[in-house]
């Protein structure tokens, strides 16, 4: 068993610069205490998250640490241009010395999509397109992909990540779709809820991991023994 931290950096009365600095001190303390990883949320147009660009904060954390893995739970893929995100992820993997974990998802908050003028009803479709472009970019030297949202024709991939073929992906194991999607693409999984619910989701994910082995081979995932994260809230007061 490994222990990690999933963090919302919320807004509050303290100056934001001080909040960031205190979190960096916390991450260094987590590393010193032997924690496996630190994963950061992404939210927009809400004080729930003051790290709407998690890559920037993780780049700062990468320069303050040496061992602890750093990642997201999760990048809201429908709100990104895939080539720009691909290049940022490759940079971040090198800046962290190959310690990047990439949590991905489609998002669940319509108001965040409204803030960007994006149609929440198309978020599942957009997620699938962005993910496939990312996968091509990680595993090929050129991207060829066309859909109603993006067109890439023999686009060169100049940057590659330090971890090859790419950093490990993480995905939320919700419903029937989550365990299947994560198992088919060789992703680590994460979930939350009562113990009984988590136990059932873990069983489903492990069963899919076995049954979807041939599909997973097509993606060449670096994850051979998947991790399953179970979230538990810790509330502190000053």
């Amino acid at each position: 068993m490994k222990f990690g931290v999933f963090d919302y950096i919320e807004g509050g009365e303290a100056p934001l610069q001080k909040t960031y600095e205190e979190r960096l001190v916390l991450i260094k303390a987590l590393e010193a205490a032997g924690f496996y990883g630190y994963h950061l949320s992404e939210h927009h147009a809400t004080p729930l998250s003051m790290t709407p660009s998690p890559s920037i904060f993780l780049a700062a954390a990468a320069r303050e640490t040496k061992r602890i893995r750093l990642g997201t739970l999760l990048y809201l893929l429908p709100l990104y241009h895939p080539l720009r995100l691909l290049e940022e992820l490759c940079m971040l993997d090198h800046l962290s010395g190959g310690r990047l974990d990439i949590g991905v998802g489609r998002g669940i908050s319509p108001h965040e999509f409204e803030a960007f003028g994006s149609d929440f009803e198309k978020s599942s479709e957009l997620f699938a397109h962005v993910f496939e472009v990312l996968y091509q970019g990680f595993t090929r030297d050129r991207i060829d992909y066309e859909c109603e949202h993006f067109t890439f024709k023999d686009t060169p991939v100049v940057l590659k990540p330090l971890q090859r073929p790419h950093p490990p992906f993480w995905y939320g194991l919700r419903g029937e779709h989550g365990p299947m999607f994560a198992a088919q693409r060789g992703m680590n999984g994460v979930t939350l809820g009562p113990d009984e619910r988590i136990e059932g989701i873990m069983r489903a994910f492990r069963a899919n991991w076995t049954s979807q082995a041939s599909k997973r081979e097509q993606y060449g995932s670096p994850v051979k023994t998947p991790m399953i994260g179970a979230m538990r809230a810790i509330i502190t007061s000053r």
Side-chain angles (χ1 to χ4, degrees):
M1 179 180 292
K2 301 178 186 291
F3 289 90
V5 168
F6 169 51
D7 197 10
Y8 288 85
I9 300 183
E10 300 182 43
E13 297 180 358
L16 187 55
Q17 188 270 342
K18 179 181 179 183
T19 299
Y20 289 154
E21 291 297 331
E22 288 179 346
R23 268 317 195 282
L24 292 173
V25 171
L26 172 63
I27 296 170
K28 289 193 287 186
L30 293 172
E31 178 173 79
F35 277 70
Y36 165 81
Y38 174 88
H39 286 180
L40 185 62
S41 67
E42 176 188 339
H43 287 287
H44 301 275
T46 171
L48 177 66
S49 171
M50 303 307 287
T51 51
S53 182
S55 294
I56 294 178
F57 185 82
L58 293 178
R63 309 315 293 169
E64 298 288 335
T65 56
K66 298 295 183 183
R67 181 198 56 79
I68 192 169
R69 293 194 66 83
L70 303 168
T72 55
L73 287 176
L74 39 73
Y75 285 107
L76 298 174
L77 292 195
L79 299 181
Y80 285 90
H81 187 282
L83 182 60
R84 181 60 179 265
L85 180 58
L86 171 69
E87 292 172 339
E88 289 185 3
L89 293 174
C90 290
M91 288 179 63
L92 188 52
D93 197 38
H94 283 276
L95 287 170
S96 66
R99 292 182 284 137
L100 178 63
D101 288 346
I102 306 174
V104 295
R106 72 176 186 89
I108 59 173
S109 300
H111 84 272
E112 297 187 56
F113 285 75
E114 292 172 4
F116 281 87
S118 182
D119 186 354
F120 179 73
E121 298 301 319
K122 294 184 177 180
S123 60
S124 293
E125 173 188 334
L126 273 166
F127 170 86
H129 290 309
V130 174
F131 180 80
E132 288 303 320
V133 174
L134 284 181
Y135 174 73
Q136 278 200 24
F138 281 139
T139 58
R140 303 182 189 180
D141 293 327
R142 293 183 177 272
I143 300 173
D144 280 292
Y145 193 88
E146 186 172 356
C147 64
E148 64 176 294
H149 306 285
F150 312 107
T151 298
F152 298 94
K153 294 183 178 180
D154 200 31
T155 302
V157 180
V158 178
L159 294 176
K160 291 292 185 181
L162 182 58
Q163 298 175 88
R164 302 304 302 271
H166 55 76
F169 283 106
W170 287 74
Y171 192 72
L173 304 179
R174 294 189 302 158
E176 295 182 2
H177 166 77
M180 175 73 76
F181 184 88
Q184 287 179 340
R185 289 156 180 80
M187 297 174 163
N188 294 312
V190 63
T191 190
L192 74 169
D195 291 347
E196 297 79 8
R197 179 177 181 272
I198 290 177
E199 182 181 1
I201 290 173
M202 286 182 172
R203 283 200 302 267
F205 179 54
R206 288 175 177 136
N208 278 294
W209 191 269
T210 299
S211 65
Q212 300 299 314
S214 59
K215 176 76 172 179
R216 187 167 57 254
E217 288 179 0
Q218 300 174 25
Y219 282 87
S221 169
V223 177
K224 304 308 177 185
T225 302
M227 300 180 67
I228 306 175
M231 295 185 188
R232 287 292 178 262
I234 298 177
I235 301 174
T236 62
S237 60
R238 297 189 179 188

